[in-house]
């Protein structure tokens, strides 16, 4: 499978994906894990999205399930970069767009400049 973009952002759920999609201005691929990953599901993601050969960013909620997923993904994808949301908001979907944009831009992910005001 060939991919049009080098960047992959891994999130937990569809609401996270929608929030990020509003903010980014490049064709990064946003992948939902829908929670924790079993070995089989992770292997499928690894192969389907060629995660070993792409720039991978992990952006999950700051709650117990998100932190568990972050640790799991970090072990399996040591080259992945971490993007954190403030514990004030706890969830990617609840993080204001301007703060999310600043966090993404800090990792050289192109964002719509209207969110950087």
């Amino acid at each position: 499978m060939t991919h049009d973009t080098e960047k992959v952002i891994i999130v937990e759920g569809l609401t996270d994906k929608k929030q990020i999609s509003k903010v980014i201005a490049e064709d990064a691929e946003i992948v939902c894990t829908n929670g924790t990953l079993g070995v089989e599901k992770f292997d499928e993601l690894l192969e389907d999205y060629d995660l070993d050969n792409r720039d991978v960013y992990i952006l999950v909620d700051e709650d117990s399930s998100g932190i568990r997923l972050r640790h799991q993904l970090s072990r399996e994808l040591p080259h992945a970069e971490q993007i954190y949301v403030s514990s004030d908001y706890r969830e990617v979907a609840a993080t204001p767009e301007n703060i999310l944009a600043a966090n993404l831009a800090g990792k050289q992910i192109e964002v719509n400049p209207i969110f950087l005001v």
Side-chain angles (χ1 to χ4, degrees):
M1 178 182 284
T2 58
H3 300 277
D4 295 336
T5 177
E6 289 296 311
K7 295 179 182 174
V8 177
I9 303 170
I10 299 176
V11 299
E12 289 179 83
L14 192 54
T15 56
D16 300 332
K17 181 176 181 173
K18 287 179 182 177
Q19 184 76 338
I20 294 167
S21 295
K22 285 192 269 182
V23 173
I24 64 171
E26 67 177 272
D27 288 334
E29 193 157 5
I30 304 169
V31 177
C32 296
T33 65
N34 298 310
T36 56
L37 293 172
V39 173
E40 189 174 304
K41 175 73 172 165
F42 177 78
D43 287 345
E44 187 179 299
L45 284 177
L46 190 64
E47 186 176 321
D48 288 352
Y49 295 99
D50 194 24
L51 297 178
D52 283 332
N53 299 304
R54 296 173 75 190
D55 297 332
V56 178
Y57 301 86
I58 300 169
L59 178 54
V60 295
D61 296 342
E62 286 299 315
D63 59 13
S64 59
S65 62
I67 292 167
R68 214 171 20 257
L69 179 60
R70 182 183 300 282
H71 289 313
Q72 178 186 9
L73 290 169
S74 295
R75 278 192 311 274
E76 301 294 337
L77 300 166
H79 71 286
E81 291 197 48
Q82 307 294 325
I83 303 173
Y84 295 92
V85 296
S86 169
S87 57
D88 292 343
Y89 305 110
R90 290 183 46 103
E91 298 178 357
V92 173
T95 302
E97 286 119 348
N98 63 321
I99 293 171
L100 193 55
N103 291 350
L104 292 163
K107 295 293 183 176
Q108 283 68 54
I109 296 172
E110 190 178 335
V111 297
N112 188 325
I114 66 165
F115 295 111
L116 294 175
V117 176

